[in-house]
Amino acid sequence: MGLNKKSVDDINAKGKRVLVRCDFNVPLKNGEITDETRIVAALPTINKLVSDGGKVILCSHLGKVKNGPNEGESLAPVAKRLSEKLGREVKFIADYNVTGADTTAAVEAMNEGDVILLQNTRFRGKEETKNGEEFSKELADLADLYVCDAFGSSHRAHASVEGVTKFITAKGGENAVGYLMQKEIDFLGNAVENPVRPFVAILGGAKVADKLNVINNLLEKCDTLIIGGGMAFTFLKAKGYEIGNSLVDDEKLDYCKEMMEKAEKLGKKLLLPIDTTIADGFPNPIDAEIAVEVVDADKIPAGKEGLDIGSKTAELFADAVKSAKTVVWNGPMGVFENPVLAKGTIAVAKALAETEATTIIGGGDSAAAVNQLGFADKMSHISTGGGASLEFLEGKELPGVVAADDK
């Protein structure tokens, strides 16, 4: 994957209309933003373009928008919060068509340093479809330059992520990445393409199926691959262990055997749990008090369910991290939302916090876990994209990255 992309530092925005695709897919409760992480993450790119004298047009999706446009998924609250954060008015265009007459008029009236925010791109209804050409062109008509700073959406070939770039190029404009995208490319891209070794990858989470290609790709790239979380039990069963009522994907047993053979053939370490925290069943509700015991990984009794790695495994995994120079972690070690079953995930997070290595958290649940457990400031990089970071780790080309101009 070509990772040497034009960034906002390589374009001249003065007097130009710059369309910036942000990731403002923030959680809302009764119209109030409950977590502003994504808004804060977008500020450096916006501030740079404003200070360069650009006319900054922001766009983003919010939510899934299943039943057409609705005020509950409007970006109006984002415009309000952005105005406060930037210390300048961010004019919101409430046009459900996104690129209609109101938008065109607002863009025409812009001065250098002005910022406007368009309505939720998914209100248009063509954002995610193959026939989004018309929408892509209308977005490009609003601007001279395009900047993608929405890594969380960069794995989707949507109108506002990839489609728009073709029309910007056709009119002689430039397509660049923002600071947030650049950081993701620098950390995630380089970790996989040319890591400082030893390179340790840690995969967790529930399902093997979600990580098939990631396991395969990382085995070729890393020196040690650690597998924990619910997906580990399919590997343990493939080794012939009794796993009781633990989560298992019987259709993937042969795949797990293949991966263990592949690791051996390539001379890579593949570490699996050696002990497991078990209970009678999954906690309900998820944070309910629960009685647990720790048993060896090959001695899970019938009727019991493994819900976290055990203390010996936590030590084994932590030791593997100590000598690493690069660590990528995607997926928790157990049901981290439950205090009793968070110990394995905490142990891994702590090991990463204490190492001198470059530590990269691959979005999704692992990002939630390190944030929740208070280790976020100790990590080199926490990815903003769950699905996108997984696809990066699979070695896939991301449409939003590929579409940016090479330097």
Side-chain angles (χ1 to χ4, degrees), residues 187-261:
F187 278 98
L188 271 173
N190 289 324
V192 179
E193 294 307 321
N194 38 25
V196 182
R197 297 187 183 279
F199 172 27
V200 175
I202 307 167
L203 293 178
K207 298 186 189 116
V208 176
D210 293 347
K211 310 250 165 95
L212 289 178
N213 298 329
V214 181
I215 296 167
N216 198 9
N217 190 45
L218 284 178
L219 264 182
E220 290 173 15
K221 312 273 188 187
C222 69
D223 302 296
T224 300
L225 179 61
I226 293 173
I227 291 185
M231 63 193 287
F233 297 107
T234 306
F235 278 87
L236 295 175
K237 188 171 179 180
K239 285 184 82 159
Y241 294 1
E242 172 53 59
I243 59 163
N245 286 346
S246 306
L247 192 68
V248 67
D249 186 345
D250 285 318
E251 288 178 11
K252 298 291 178 278
L253 290 170
D254 287 342
Y255 172 84
C256 291
K257 285 178 192 161
E258 265 174 53
M259 289 302 110
M260 291 189 279
E261 283 162 19

Side-chain angles (χ1 to χ4, degrees), residues 375-394:
F375 290 103
D377 60 337
K378 302 279 195 298
M379 304 301 159
S380 310
H381 178 61
I382 299 175
S383 178
T384 53
S389 58
L390 262 186
E391 291 195 14
F392 227 146
L393 297 178
E394 281 179 35

Side-chain angles (χ1 to χ4, degrees), residues 141-207:
D141 285 345
L142 297 172
D144 307 301
L145 305 169
Y146 172 77
V147 173
C148 186
D149 210 21
F151 182 71
S153 299
S154 65
H155 59 314
R156 308 203 186 282
H158 289 172
S160 64
V161 175
E162 185 205 41
V164 60
T165 61
K166 298 170 197 159
F167 294 100
I168 291 282
T169 301
K171 63 198 253 185
E174 293 173 284
N175 300 292
V177 296
Y179 290 131
L180 193 58
M181 281 279 281
Q182 186 63 54
K183 198 173 174 217
E184 297 278 7
I185 292 168
D186 289 347
F187 278 98
L188 271 173
N190 289 324
V192 179
E193 294 307 321
N194 38 25
V196 182
R197 297 187 183 279
F199 172 27
V200 175
I202 307 167
L203 293 178
K207 298 186 189 116

Side-chain angles (χ1 to χ4, degrees), residues 74-145:
S74 166
L75 282 170
V78 173
K80 184 168 171 269
R81 186 66 60 90
L82 260 177
S83 299
E84 291 161 10
K85 294 276 176 203
L86 290 168
R88 64 175 55 237
E89 186 203 358
V90 174
K91 188 173 182 181
F92 180 61
I93 317 296
D95 172 13
Y96 280 7
N97 191 48
V98 187
T99 52
D102 288 354
T103 303
T104 311
V107 170
E108 273 173 16
M110 289 178 88
N111 295 311
E112 291 183 10
D114 282 356
V115 184
I116 66 174
L117 173 62
L118 307 185
Q119 183 55 281
N120 188 339
T121 54
R122 289 195 181 165
F123 281 9
R124 177 62 179 257
K126 300 269 192 243
E127 165 76 336
E128 304 163 66
T129 57
K130 291 284 177 235
N131 59 354
E133 291 282 293
E134 188 188 343
F135 186 29
S136 300
K137 184 178 185 313
E138 286 171 22
L139 284 168
D141 285 345
L142 297 172
D144 307 301
L145 305 169

Side-chain angles (χ1 to χ4, degrees), residues 24-33 60-79 92-96 98 117-124 128:
F24 293 143
N25 188 19
V26 295
L28 289 172
K29 196 173 179 184
N30 304 323
E32 292 295 321
I33 297 163
S60 173
H61 78 280
L62 173 68
K64 298 263 191 273
V65 191
K66 291 259 185 285
N67 305 311
N70 67 88
E71 278 307 301
E73 288 170 310
S74 166
L75 282 170
V78 173
F92 180 61
I93 317 296
D95 172 13
Y96 280 7
V98 187
L117 173 62
L118 307 185
Q119 183 55 281
N120 188 339
T121 54
R122 289 195 181 165
F123 281 9
R124 177 62 179 257
E128 304 163 66

